[in-house]
Structure formats: structure tokens, C-alpha cells
Amino acid sequence: MASANRLTLFIVIFMLAGILSGAAIHEYASADTIATWADNITLFTDIFLRLIKMVIAPLVFSTLTVGIMKLGETSTIGRVGGKAMVWFISSSVLSILVGLFIVTLEQPGSGLNLAIPQASVDTGLAVGGMTLKGFLSHTIPTSIAGAMANNEILQIVVFSMFFGIGGASLGQKFNAPLVAALDVVSHIMLKVTGYVMYVAPLAIFAAISSVIATQGLGILLNYASFIGGYYVAIFLTCIVLLAVGYMVLKKEVFRLLSMLKDPVLVAFTTSSSEAAYPKTLEQLERFGCSRNIASFVLPIGYSFNLVGSMVYCSFASMFIAQAYNIHLSFSEVAILMLTLMLASKGIAGVPRSSLVVLAATIPSFNIPVAGILLLMGIDHFLDMGRSAINVLGNGIATAMLSQNEGAREVESGLVEQEV
């Protein structure tokens, strides 16, 4: 427990140091120096994220496959998967409603009175293939080696589910050696993750310092209304998720929140929920979740339970509409939100994925895609919030499903207290 607290302390210290160093460089350094600093310091962030991505593919495959095989009968797999999808859809709807409520109440885009562009504007985002056919085709891997090489989480999940179900159908007599071997692989990957986490504070310092040095603290003040309203929506969504979690986990939800603080902080400061995956899985097991349930539910949640992205998409799309004085009817808003929810599934890991979803969706509702340019400068700060709540939402969902299945392996207060 002490080492976990030290990691949290170092993350906070290095985050503050990143803010201060970035602000000082932006204020006193020349333009060339700022560009050089921002370009080179992010090497540490790149190394950390590459190390994490190195671990994710074998970790997801080994833990998910073992989890499915140990669940046993396909009826159990279907029941747990069905419950997971019901919750993922429900949480997406809840988060969209929270985002809509705050953006409608605050009206951060009102008063900008922007003129609708006459010509299309290139936002620099690749938005092709955002169709149902494209999504379903992309879901199925043509090669598991290719999916792992490119860290295509959803494709790895699909292959692992087929592989695990096939293994489970053979029975324990035949699959026991493979289950044991993959279980060892998953533990090795978690141990490697522990070593990688030593780099996290330095990576966080580099990421924050680079953005502040380039943009300056002023950008936060210029967008104070939007950023403030957005984080209010994020906070309220957290409250809603914790309230629902309390209904199932009771007071244990607060212990879960405490145990997830490190992976949430990592996701927040690196703007990457992927970076927090291994630590989230480890903490859920320490909390008492069945390893089989956690290994099955958590990877699926990374593709289908993006509550932070849902808050962002609802908030940002209505902000752009307000900025251009575009009034949408109730039915148009409802269809827009449904479209955003469906379009966002399965794009975890895509750079600026929420912006890509917006760019692909809002033109169909006569909202100028050029409005995305209003957000691109501050997207890093917004991505921090949505990455963090994605991790929290997946953690709560996994713990709730584990409890519902009667699969909590230890009683409250009896969890092993070592990292």
C-alpha cells in the first residue's frame, strides 16, 4: 500500500512540476526554444506509452482467454457478456444525458455568433470508414498477429473470445495445460507493468510540460467557460456512476474508488486510458473481483464503455451548434446523440477518437465540421478528463458485475494489502 501511495505522490508532484516548467518556458523562452523543448521532452511520454502498448496485446489475450475458459459453460459466458453490454449501453445513455443537461444549462457556445462557413474546412482528421459496414468489417481481424502488432484492442477481444469459447468447449481435461500457461503469461505481463510504472511520473511531467509550453496557461482562461462546464459534467457523471455502484457494492465502492486512484491519475495525466489498463486490472483483483470476470469484462469495456467520450461528444456537439446559432429540435438532438453513441463504439485507441466521431457525425445534422477547430487547441485538456472517467467507469462496471455474479473472492477488509 505504501508503494501505491508513493506512486500517487510522485505523479502529483511531477504533474505540478510539468505545469510550472511549461508555463515558465512559454513565458520566457524564445519560439525556437519552445518548439525544441516541446518536441524533445515528449520522448519520455512516447517511451512510456510504447512500453504500455508493448504489454497490452499479450495481457489482454492471456487474461481474457483464461477468464473465458475458466468461466466454463457458454451459457455463463453469454450471461456475463449480456449483463456487461446492458450496463455499457445504460451508462452511455446516462453520461450523454448528463453532458446534454450541463451544456443546455450553461450554454457555453451562446454569444459567439459565428458565421456558418460557405466552403468545407479541412480539420486534418481522417473520418472515412465511420459507417456501420466499416465498423463491423474492422471488428473482425484478418490476422491476430496483425491485430496485436497494431494494438487493435477490439480485434484482439473478438479473437480472444472465439479462442476462449473454443477452449472452454473442450473441457477442463484438455484445456487445463493451456489455461495454466496463459495464466503464467498474464502474471508475467502484470509484473512487467509494475516495472513500466516507474517511468510514469517522468512521462507525465513531459506530457504536461510540452502542452503548457506550447499553448501557455492562457488557453485555459480563454476557454474557461467550456472547460469548466465540461468538467462539471465529468464530475456529475462520476457521482452518478458511484451512486449506481453504491447500490450494488454499498460502502465498498469508496474502497474501490481509493484503489483506482492510481490508474485514474495515470489516465488523466497521460490522456490515455490504455496506459491505465494493466494497473486497473491489478487493482480490481486486489479489490476482490474474480480474475475471470475482470479479465472478461474489462477489455470489452475498453471498446464499449467509453462514458467519458459520451460526455464529451454530447457536450461538444451542442457547444458547436450553439456557437453557430443552430437550433436543433428534440427529435434531432435525440437522433444525434444516438448516432454519436453508436459511432463511438470500437474506436478506442484511435488518436483524437472523440474528435473523429464528431467530424464524421455532425455534418449530417447541418452543423459545420469547422466548429471542431474551436476545440482542437484544448483537446488535450479535455482528453485528460474523458480518459480518467473511462477508467473509473470500467472499474465500477467490472466490480458491479463481479459482485452480481457472486464472484467476489474475498470479504471486505481481507484483501491482500500489497501491490
Side-chain angles (χ1 to χ4, degrees):
M1 196 68 176
S3 60
N5 288 334
R6 282 199 299 270
L7 178 61
T8 302
L9 179 62
F10 280 125
I11 286 174
V12 172
I13 290 173
F14 276 74
M15 181 176 66
L16 293 175
I19 293 173
L20 293 175
S21 63
I25 291 170
H26 180 81
E27 184 69 23
Y28 300 110
S30 65
D32 289 341
T33 302
I34 291 173
T36 302
W37 171 265
D39 184 55
N40 290 300
I41 194 65
T42 52
L43 172 65
F44 296 108
T45 304
D46 293 340
I47 289 173
F48 173 70
L49 293 178
R50 290 177 75 90
L51 286 170
I52 285 292
K53 289 180 179 181
M54 174 186 72
V55 172
I56 284 177
L59 181 61
V60 169
F61 172 71
S62 59
T63 55
L64 182 53
T65 301
V66 169
I68 291 174
M69 286 187 181
K70 286 187 175 180
L71 283 176
E73 299 178 358
T74 54
S75 59
T76 303
I77 298 169
R79 185 180 68 250
V80 175
K83 288 179 180 179
M85 292 308 298
V86 168
W87 168 244
F88 293 162
I89 293 172
S90 301
S91 61
S92 293
V93 172
L94 284 172
S95 54
I96 281 175
L97 291 176
V98 172
L100 269 179
F101 173 74
I102 297 299
V103 75
T104 303
L105 186 67
E106 187 194 12
Q107 297 282 319
S110 297
L112 292 180
N113 298 317
L114 300 179
I116 296 177
Q118 296 300 313
S120 62
V121 175
D122 182 10
T123 63
L125 296 171
V127 298
M130 296 297 293
T131 63
L132 179 60
K133 179 183 177 182
F135 165 66
L136 292 177
S137 298
H138 181 71
T139 297
I140 310 300
T142 56
S143 164
I144 184 56
M148 287 189 168
N150 296 318
N151 263 332
E152 294 283 359
I153 298 298
L154 187 56
Q155 293 185 7
I156 296 172
V157 166
V158 169
F159 177 83
S160 300
M161 290 180 67
F162 275 106
F163 192 89
I165 292 171
S169 67
L170 295 177
Q172 188 174 3
K173 178 181 178 181
F174 293 98
N175 67 30
L178 179 59
V179 170
L182 289 175
D183 202 28
V184 171
V185 171
S186 67
H187 280 89
I188 291 173
M189 289 298 100
L190 288 172
K191 181 64 72 172
V192 172
T193 301
Y195 302 144
V196 172
M197 290 308 295
Y198 290 128
V199 186
L202 188 58
I204 287 161
F205 165 80
I208 297 294
S209 181
S210 173
V211 172
I212 298 295
T214 304
Q215 304 284 354
L217 291 173
I219 192 170
L220 300 179
L221 299 177
N222 295 339
Y223 284 87
S225 177
F226 180 91
I227 294 175
Y230 169 74
Y231 273 97
V232 167
I234 289 288
F235 178 75
L236 287 180
T237 305
C238 288
I239 297 298
V240 171
L241 292 174
L242 289 170
V244 176
Y246 185 84
M247 295 169 61
V248 176
L249 302 171
K250 306 304 179 186
K251 293 182 179 179
E252 286 288 273
V253 74
F254 300 112
R255 186 167 68 86
L256 175 64
L257 180 63
S258 174
M259 296 182 74
L260 289 177
K261 66 180 184 299
D262 280 350
V264 168
L265 263 176
V266 168
F268 179 79
T269 47
T270 62
S271 302
S272 171
S273 52
E274 276 189 358
Y277 174 84
K279 192 69 175 178
T280 304
L281 181 61
E282 177 189 332
Q283 292 297 77
L284 285 170
E285 289 185 37
R286 289 186 59 244
F287 176 71
C289 293
S290 161
R291 181 179 179 83
N292 301 334
I293 298 289
S295 300
F296 178 53
V297 174
L298 197 59
I300 301 174
Y302 264 68
S303 292
F304 291 97
N305 193 36
L306 305 174
V307 289
S309 300
M310 291 297 90
V311 174
Y312 174 82
C313 285
S314 60
F315 199 95
S317 60
M318 295 307 295
F319 166 77
I320 295 171
Q322 292 167 6
Y324 287 100
N325 294 315
I326 296 172
H327 301 285
L328 301 176
S329 66
F330 176 82
S331 60
E332 287 175 324
V333 171
I335 295 172
L336 171 60
M337 294 303 120
L338 177 62
T339 305
L340 288 169
M341 185 175 75
L342 294 175
S344 69
K345 303 308 178 188
I347 61 165
V350 176
R352 291 183 167 180
S353 58
S354 295
L355 284 176
V356 172
V357 170
L358 283 176
T361 304
I362 60 175
S364 301
F365 297 84
N366 297 317
I367 301 174
V369 73
I372 292 175
L373 297 174
L374 298 171
L375 306 175
M376 293 184 76
I378 58 169
D379 186 64
H380 180 85
F381 302 103
L382 307 177
D383 200 17
M384 293 166 72
R386 61 180 179 253
S387 297
I389 195 175
N390 283 343
V391 171
L392 179 63
N394 284 323
I396 292 174
T398 303
M400 286 170 55
L401 286 166
S402 185
Q403 177 83 348
N404 185 257
E405 284 290 309
R408 282 285 302 281
E409 294 179 331
V410 292
E411 296 296 326
S412 174
L414 297 180
V415 180
E416 187 178 357
Q417 293 297 309
E418 64 180 13
V419 177

